[in-house]
Structure formats: structure tokens, C-alpha cells
Amino acid sequence: HTDITELDEARRARHQLHDDFLFTAESIQIGIWDWQVSHDNLQVNDTLLAMVGQSRAQWRYPLRFMLNLVHEDDRATLQQAMIASQNEHMPFFECELRVQHPTQGWRWMLLSGQIVTLNMQQQAERVIGTLQDITRRKAAELLAIEAAKEAHETRTPMNGILGMTQLCLDTPLTAEQREYLSLVMSSAQSLLHIINDILDFSRIESGKMQVDEEPLGIRPFIQSLIRPHMPAASEKGIELLVDIYPAVPEVLIVDGPRLRQILTNLLGNA
């Protein structure tokens, strides 16, 4: 006789883990699919069917059930991702697809897959994966692109304002005139930084954000940052003071625009 208690417990634990995974996927709206390639049997969970606006008609489907819902221009993308995964011996692949929903139109989906079994010819035999609705994310990316275009259009006249203000500051002025124009210059620079922040958001969305480090005189930098906020603080009866700890070095190696963005946001929220 052989004691198989531990084996039985391991099998139960595995089944429990599988059930827990399915329950978690259902609760966070992730579709799950499992494709047996040679028999062309595709199994999907109820969440995936709901995501594509289909009701369950059977437990197993042919692959064309899903392919017919995918935008014609995206079918080749899916096929290329799977072929590349096989050829490069990288079992995991993913791609963004447009899927037709019967009432909501085209929805953007992120399809992720993993080849878990190969046949004797080293071709995919079993592929499993997930499907996630990313329509909102794609819409946010589109808004970010539009915002970036508008920011580019706004930055050109803002640079003109800065240039003309600097020319005025280079002429003979009274102390009061110089103070006012200096405030105009600081405010315009702050607005230009906001415009650049919008462009940065667009770069973050596209994965092209870079950090540029440079020497920065921290004390004059902080003073120039604070000054445009003083009139608004004064109107609210708030005294805005700058107190920099003496041990802080005169020059720091930082990304100036990023530091300005962070401090401006903190100051504005305060």
C-alpha cells in the first residue's frame, strides 16, 4: 500500500488555486481563454463573453468565433504576435485589438497569451490567455495627444510674450515698472511650465518621458518659484515665506522642470 495523502492534498490545493484564480479574474472583469490548437477547441469564461456582448451558446467554440469579432486590420497583428512568440521561443505574447461589441461598437482590448504546450513539430498545441477591456485607457491616450497638440499651439505665443517682456526689461525703467514686468515674466514662465507639463503627460502616456539632470542654483530657483504666488497669498491674508535649511547645498543636480512641477503642485495644493 502507498500513502497518497500528500498527493491528494496537493491535487486539492491546485484545484483550489485554480478556482481562486477564476473567481479573482471574474471579479476584476478579466476574460480567460484556452485554445487547443490541433482540435480547434476554444474555451472562454463568462466574463469574456460578456465583454464582447455574447451569450453562451456552447462550452467549446472554434477559434473563428473570436476572430470574427476582431477588426479585420487587427487579425494580422494577432497572427504575427503568435508566430513571433513561436519563432523566438518566447511563450508569452500580447497585442491590442479592436473587438466588435453588438451594442457598444468597437472596443479596444488587450489580448495576452502564453503557449503552454508544443507538439512534436515544435508548433503551438495549447495556448491560454486573458482579455482585458482597455477602451478607457485608449480614450485617455487620445485626449493626451489632443492636449499635447493644443499645448504646442499655445506655447508659440507664450514664447513671444516672454521674448517681448525680456526686451522691455532691457530698456530703462522705473523701479516700479521693472517690478511689474518681472512679475509678468515670472507668471508667463510659470504658465509656460504648465504647458510643458501637459506635454510631459503626453510623453508619459506614450512611454517617451525622460529625466534631464543639470546643475541648479536652488535658492534663486525657489525664490523665482514662490514670487508669482505671493499676490494670491496676500489677498487671502497668508504670509508666504521661504526658509531653506542652511545645510542645503547652493547647487543641486536635478531635473529643473520636474522639480518646478512638483513644488508648484505642492504649493498650489497648500
Side-chain angles (χ1 to χ4, degrees), residues 9 102 136 255:
E9 290 179 352
R136 290 185 179 180
D255 187 324

Side-chain angles (χ1 to χ4, degrees), residues 82-243:
M82 291 188 63
I83 292 175
S85 177
Q86 290 185 140
N87 294 342
E88 299 173 13
H89 303 288
M90 297 174 59
F92 180 79
F93 64 91
E94 67 178 18
C95 55
E96 296 180 354
L97 307 167
R98 285 162 291 180
V99 176
Q100 180 73 55
H101 190 284
T103 60
Q104 300 175 11
W106 292 106
R107 307 284 298 180
W108 277 101
M109 303 283 179
L110 175 64
L111 183 141
S112 303
Q114 183 175 2
I115 300 173
V116 294
T117 307
L118 297 175
N119 59 21
M120 296 296 292
Q121 291 74 39
Q122 296 301 301
Q123 299 295 314
E125 174 59 28
R126 185 187 177 200
V127 189
I128 63 174
T130 61
L131 190 70
Q132 300 178 63
D133 193 323
I134 58 170
T135 304
R136 290 185 179 180
R137 193 194 79 188
K138 297 294 288 188
E141 291 175 359
L142 182 60
L143 288 175
I145 293 173
E146 292 298 324
K149 291 180 180 178
E150 294 181 6
H152 275 295
E153 295 173 357
T154 308
R155 188 162 59 172
T156 300
M158 186 56 58
N159 284 325
I161 294 172
L162 287 169
M164 294 304 298
T165 304
Q166 185 60 57
L167 289 176
C168 289
L169 287 170
D170 293 338
T171 62
L173 299 169
T174 65
E176 186 177 17
Q177 289 173 332
R178 185 169 299 278
E179 181 181 359
Y180 290 160
L181 282 174
S182 296
L183 185 57
V184 170
M185 174 68 81
S186 297
S187 299
Q189 288 174 338
S190 296
L191 183 55
L192 185 60
H193 288 309
I194 293 173
I195 295 171
N196 290 333
D197 290 344
I198 297 174
L199 294 175
D200 285 343
F201 177 75
S202 175
R203 296 188 187 102
I204 292 172
E205 288 292 327
S206 60
K208 298 179 180 178
M209 182 65 182
Q210 294 182 344
V211 175
D212 299 318
E213 296 182 345
E214 59 182 358
L216 181 69
I218 194 64
R219 284 169 174 79
F221 172 81
I222 295 296
Q223 292 289 349
S224 67
L225 178 69
I226 293 296
R227 189 174 181 185
H229 295 274
M230 287 183 172
S234 179
E235 290 179 0
K236 296 179 181 179
I238 300 173
E239 186 179 12
L240 193 57
L241 300 175
V242 178
D243 184 13

Side-chain angles (χ1 to χ4, degrees), residues 29 31 44-57 61 65-66 69-70 99-107 109 131 133:
Q29 296 298 299
V44 298
N45 67 344
D46 291 338
T47 297
L48 189 147
L49 290 173
M51 289 168 61
V52 298
Q54 302 292 321
S55 57
R56 182 173 294 282
Y61 298 85
F65 165 75
M66 279 298 299
L69 299 176
V70 175
V99 176
Q100 180 73 55
H101 190 284
T103 60
Q104 300 175 11
W106 292 106
R107 307 284 298 180
M109 303 283 179
L131 190 70
D133 193 323

